[in-house]
Amino acid sequence: MLDILPQLLVNGIITGTLLAIPAIGFTAIFAVLRFPNFAVASHATIGAFAGYAANVWLGLPAELSLVAAFLVAGLVGVVSDEIALRPLRPYGALTTAIASIALTIVLENVVRLIFGNGLRGYDLPLVRDWRVWDIRIGPQQIENFALALILMAVVFAALRFSRIGKAMRAVADNPALAELKGIDPVRIGRLTAFFGMGLVGAGGMLLGLGTSIDPLTGFRFILPIFAAAVVGGLGSIPGAALGAMVVGLGEEVALLVLSPAYKSAVGFMAIVLVLTFRPRGLLGERAY
Amino acid sequence: MIGTCRPTRRAALAGLAAALAAPSIVRAQEGAIRFGTLTPLTGTGGTYGPAMRDAVIGAVRAVNANGGLLGRQIQIVSEDTQTSPEAAVRAARKLIDVDGVAAIMGTWASSVTTAVAPLCWESKTMLFTVSGADSITQLPHQGFIARTQPNSQLQIEVASRFMVDQGGTSFAWIGPQTPFAQSSIDILTAVAAEAGIEVESLIYEAEKSTYRSEVDTILRSDPDFIQLGGYAADSTVLLRDLWQAGYEGMIIGPAYAVNDSVVEALPAEVLEGVFTWEGAPAIDSEAYANVQQILGVETVDPYSAQTYDHANLAMLAIGKAGASSGQAIHDHLREISQGSGQATGSAVSGLGVLPGDVNYDGASGPCDFDEIGDITGTQFLFKRFENGAPVEFERV
C-alpha cells in the first residue's frame, strides 16, 4: 500500500496549492470585513465560467482567461457585496454570513440561467500524463501549479509593498487606528471584496481547468476552502496557504487508511483537531 | 404628469386585495385533477429534469385539449428536487399537502425517491419513478410505487454479462457512494466469479473535482474492463483521469452517466471505445413518436419517455376507476397497463376505448408491472463511442 504514497503526496501538493488561492481570498475578506463570506462558492463558479467564456467563446489562452476569471469574479464580488452584504454588516458577522449563503444561492442560479446545467470543459489540448519514477503528473497540472504559485507570489508582494496592500493590512490589524490615520475603511472594504473574490474566481477556474465545470463547481470546494482558512487561522493569509496544503495533502494521504467515500471528512477532522489544540489556527489570526 | 403614472401605495394595496379576492381564478382550478412532477430541474440530474417535466405536460395537454378526464381538466404542478433528498421532501410535502396531487411523477435519483416514498404511501399518493435502486420497490409501499426503470440489479447483471462476453479478464468497479453502489459491486462480483474473473472495487465520494488518487488506487489491480457506477459529473472527471493515467482497457458506464453533457465536456479521444448501456425505449412505438413530437427532438432520452408513460398511466387508471384519487390510480393501474386489452400508445386514444379493456404500451417499453411495482420485459441497448458519438453496438 505504501508504494502509492509518493503519488499521493504529489497529488496532494498540487491540490493544496490550487486550493490555497480561493482560501487566501476567503481569509483576506474575513481579515478586513470580519465575517466569513460563504458567497465564495458562487464566486468560484462565476470565475470558472468567466474563464470558460474567455477561453472557449473568445478563444483566449488559459493564462489570459485566468485574468478574465479574476476580473469578472472580483467585479461581481464588489457589486454583490455593495448591494447585499454591506448594508447588513452593522448587524453583526452572523447576520452577514447568513446573507452570504443566500447570496451564493442567488448567484449560482444566475450562472445556471446563463449557462444552463450541463457540464463544460475548457478548450485545452488533452495529453497523457508523464511518468517520472513511477509517479504520474500531467503537464496541465504543472501549468496550473505554476500559475497558482505566481498568483500567490503576486498577492504576497502586493500586500507587502503596495500602498493598498499596506492599507488592507492596517485595517485588518486595527480598523479604528487605520481610520484615524486617514484610511477610508469603506474604500478598503470594496478593494478587499474585489481582490478577495477575484482570487476566489481565479482559484475556481484553476480548480476547474483539469476537469469540467458546472454551476455546482464552486459549491464543491466550499468545505475544503473553509477548512483551509480555519486550519491556518481565520484572517491569516500565510495561514490560508498553509491550511490549504494541510487539507489538500490530508485528503489524498488519508486514502491510505480511509475509504475514498469519506474524503470530505478529512476537512472536518482537520477543523476539529486544530480548533481543539490551537483554537486560533496554526498561524493565529494576524493578517500577514 | 410623470408623478401620476407612479403606482401609489394605496393603488398597490388595492391591486393586491383584488388579486387575493379574485375568485374566478380559484374557481377555475377547483375542479381540476392535479398531478405533480417532481423532477431534478437543478443539481446532478438537471440535464434531464426539464424535458421529463415537459413530456408530462405534453401528455396532459393532449388529454385536456380532448375534453379532459372525467369531464375535468388536469393541472400539472411542477416542483424541483434539486437532485437532493432534503429539497425533494420539502417539495413533495408541498405537492401533497398544499396542492393535493393524486400522483407524483418523475423522481430521478434513487436517494430522492427513497426519501419521498414514505410521504406518498402514507398520504395514498401514487409515486411514479425512474430510479433504479433495488431497495426502492422493497420498501413497504403498499403498491403506491410504480417504477418504469429496470431495477439496478437487472441493469448491473446485464452489463456484467456483457463485460464477460466481450472477453474481459480482470474487472474493476468504481463509483460514488449511492444506494446501489454496494449491490452493484456484489452483482458484478457474482457474475464475474462464474467466469473465474477477479473484481476490484472502489467507492468514492461524489462531487469531487478530481479523482486522480482514486484512479491510481484502482489501476494498481491492473484491470482490463472497468465498470463506472456514477452520474455524469463524476464520470466526466473519472473518464478524463483514466485517460490521462494512460489506461488502455475497456470501460462501460450507464448511459445516464456517459451522456450528451459528458460528450460536450470531453474530447472525442477520451471517449473512444467506451461502452454505454441503457433500458432501450420502444423507438418504433406510437408513444415514442408522441414524445418526439412533444419535445421536438429526434432521440428521446429514456427518462422523458418514462415520464410520458407516467402521465398516461395515471390518466388511464383514473379513467378506468372513474375517480381521481391516488387510491384510484393504485387500484386500477395494472388493469390498464397490462393484459389482453386493446393496445394503446396514449391516454387520448385509450380513454376512447374505456370502459373496455386497454393495455398501455409506452414510449419506454411495454409498461407491465409485477406485484412490487417493478417493470418487466425491458430491452437493453448497448452503444460504443466512435469518433465522439455513441453508435448502436447491440440489443439484448
Side-chain angles (χ1 to χ4, degrees):
Chain A
M1 200 63 194
L2 273 180
D3 55 325
I4 202 172
L5 184 64
Q7 178 72 62
L8 296 181
L9 288 174
V10 168
N11 293 354
I13 288 170
I14 290 175
T15 312
T17 319
L18 297 185
L19 205 55
I21 304 295
I24 287 173
F26 177 82
T27 215
I29 292 172
F30 184 87
V32 173
L33 302 176
R34 308 310 293 181
F35 75 99
N37 191 338
F38 293 109
V40 289
S42 54
H43 285 81
T45 308
I46 288 170
F49 274 91
Y52 169 86
N55 175 240
V56 177
W57 294 353
L58 305 179
L60 298 178
E63 297 77 15
L64 283 179
S65 305
L66 195 61
V67 177
F70 181 92
L71 291 178
V72 173
L75 231 79
V76 173
V78 177
V79 173
S80 61
D81 184 76
E82 205 65 19
I83 295 170
L85 303 181
R86 191 157 81 87
L88 294 175
R89 277 205 277 277
Y91 301 101
L94 186 62
T95 312
T96 324
I98 292 170
S100 75
I101 296 176
L103 174 65
T104 207
I105 295 172
V106 171
L107 291 176
E108 181 194 305
N109 281 289
V110 171
V111 173
R112 193 165 271 137
L113 202 65
I114 301 171
F115 290 90
N117 270 322
L119 296 162
R120 286 157 192 273
Y122 291 92
D123 184 16
L124 296 169
L126 197 60
V127 279
R128 301 258 191 190
D129 289 342
W130 297 327
R131 279 192 185 275
V132 188
W133 298 305
D134 218 29
I135 294 175
R136 74 183 176 96
I137 188 160
Q140 187 63 50
Q141 277 187 299
I142 293 182
E143 192 184 330
N144 295 352
F145 180 70
L147 284 171
L149 285 183
I150 293 170
L151 214 52
M152 266 193 270
V154 171
V155 169
F156 281 104
L159 281 174
R160 182 128 190 90
F161 301 115
S162 77
R163 275 182 67 88
I164 295 172
K166 285 179 192 165
M168 278 182 191
R169 281 159 50 206
V171 174
D173 230 24
N174 191 333
L177 194 61
E179 199 168 358
L180 277 178
K181 281 284 183 186
I183 298 173
D184 176 6
V186 174
R187 185 166 153 268
I188 291 301
R190 280 185 196 137
L191 281 168
T192 309
F194 178 77
F195 286 111
M197 285 309 183
L199 283 175
V200 169
M205 179 179 164
L206 281 176
L207 286 163
L209 263 182
T211 67
S212 56
I213 57 170
D214 66 283
L216 289 172
T217 292
F219 183 74
R220 291 190 189 113
F221 294 115
I222 185 79
L223 176 68
I225 291 173
F226 186 62
V230 171
V231 167
L234 257 180
S236 161
I237 285 170
L242 179 69
M245 205 50 84
V246 170
V247 172
L249 272 172
E251 281 197 350
E252 302 299 327
V253 175
L255 291 184
L256 287 177
V257 288
L258 208 64
S259 157
Y262 305 111
K263 222 173 178 181
S264 285
V266 175
F268 282 114
M269 284 191 304
I271 294 181
V272 171
L273 278 176
V274 169
L275 291 188
T276 307
F277 296 107
R278 261 190 89 86
R280 296 188 152 201
L282 292 175
L283 295 192
E285 58 174 299
R286 277 186 68 90
Y288 187 75
Chain B
M1 248 345 258
I2 295 167
T4 56
C5 290
R6 290 164 77 191
T8 62
R9 197 177 304 178
R10 197 172 299 165
L13 275 176
L16 182 68
L20 285 175
S24 57
I25 305 171
V26 181
R27 219 177 291 138
Q29 309 295 345
E30 224 169 40
I33 298 169
R34 286 184 178 168
F35 295 152
T37 67
L38 190 54
T39 60
L41 302 178
T42 55
T44 318
T47 36
Y48 293 111
M52 291 167 72
R53 174 198 59 199
D54 293 346
V56 171
I57 291 174
V60 164
R61 198 171 279 162
V63 170
N64 278 342
N66 212 32
L69 185 57
L70 309 180
R72 295 153 70 183
Q73 291 283 294
I74 305 154
Q75 193 189 4
I76 298 293
V77 186
S78 290
E79 291 293 335
D80 178 12
T81 66
Q82 300 174 26
T83 329
S84 141
E86 295 84 16
V89 164
R90 282 197 299 277
R93 277 246 160 274
K94 187 234 165 205
L95 287 173
I96 294 168
D97 297 341
V98 180
D99 300 312
V101 299
I104 290 178
M105 301 164 186
T107 53
W108 184 80
S110 294
S111 54
V112 163
T113 306
T114 307
V116 166
L119 305 182
C120 291
W121 77 64
E122 276 162 17
S123 63
K124 302 201 182 308
T125 306
M126 194 69 199
L127 176 63
F128 290 94
T129 175
V130 306
S131 303
D134 301 324
S135 53
I136 288 170
T137 44
Q138 288 154 12
L139 295 167
H141 60 77
Q142 304 142 38
F144 281 96
I145 295 179
R147 99 160 113 203
T148 43
Q149 173 85 347
N151 67 26
S152 68
Q153 173 161 5
L154 181 59
Q155 289 187 53
I156 301 298
E157 237 174 70
V158 169
S160 303
R161 295 204 189 289
F162 177 84
M163 289 167 75
V164 175
D165 291 345
Q166 293 306 308
T169 56
S170 168
F171 291 172
W173 187 96
I174 180 164
Q177 187 64 278
T178 60
F180 49 88
Q182 193 54 51
S183 65
S184 300
I185 295 169
D186 295 344
I187 294 163
L188 175 62
T189 309
V191 172
E194 287 171 24
I197 298 169
E198 295 270 315
V199 177
E200 191 64 36
S201 65
L202 186 146
I203 299 178
Y204 56 75
E205 189 183 337
E207 313 264 293
K208 285 278 166 191
S209 66
T210 168
Y211 294 113
R212 293 183 73 88
S213 297
E214 285 83 347
V215 163
D216 290 328
T217 310
I218 198 78
L219 288 185
R220 280 151 46 92
S221 68
D222 209 13
D224 63 1
F225 210 145
I226 298 180
Q227 188 182 122
L228 306 180
Y231 292 121
D234 45 320
S235 294
T236 315
V237 178
L238 207 55
L239 283 167
R240 180 195 287 260
D241 282 343
L242 280 168
W243 188 86
Q244 284 182 326
Y247 175 70
E248 301 274 4
M250 291 181 277
I251 299 173
I252 184 166
Y256 59 76
V258 189
N259 61 13
D260 289 348
S261 67
V262 177
V263 175
E264 217 163 283
L266 287 177
E269 65 242 61
V270 174
L271 289 168
E272 191 65 26
V274 171
F275 292 103
T276 68
W277 90 105
E278 63 198 298
I283 46 177
D284 298 323
S285 65
E286 175 201 340
Y288 189 86
N290 292 342
V291 191
Q292 280 177 318
Q293 201 187 356
I294 290 169
L295 299 179
V297 294
E298 186 55 38
T299 311
V300 174
D301 70 88
Y303 304 113
S304 302
Q306 290 178 46
T307 54
Y308 176 80
D309 294 343
H310 296 170
N312 283 314
L313 287 165
M315 290 188 288
L316 284 171
I318 287 175
K320 183 80 180 174
S324 66
S325 63
Q327 184 75 46
I329 302 174
H330 167 277
D331 294 346
H332 298 273
L333 176 67
R334 285 166 184 77
E335 292 168 28
I336 52 89
S337 64
Q338 51 224 60
S340 55
Q342 186 177 331
T344 177
S346 73
V348 174
S349 60
L351 288 170
V353 179
L354 291 176
D357 286 339
V358 295
N359 173 14
Y360 178 73
D361 284 336
S364 63
C367 291
D368 298 343
F369 298 97
D370 66 11
E371 63 283 0
I372 61 166
D374 268 333
I375 201 89
T376 58
T378 313
Q379 268 207 330
F380 285 90
L381 171 62
F382 287 86
K383 292 180 182 169
R384 184 175 182 277
F385 274 88
E386 284 168 24
N387 301 318
V391 178
E392 181 166 337
F393 188 76
E394 69 175 30
R395 275 172 192 266
V396 292

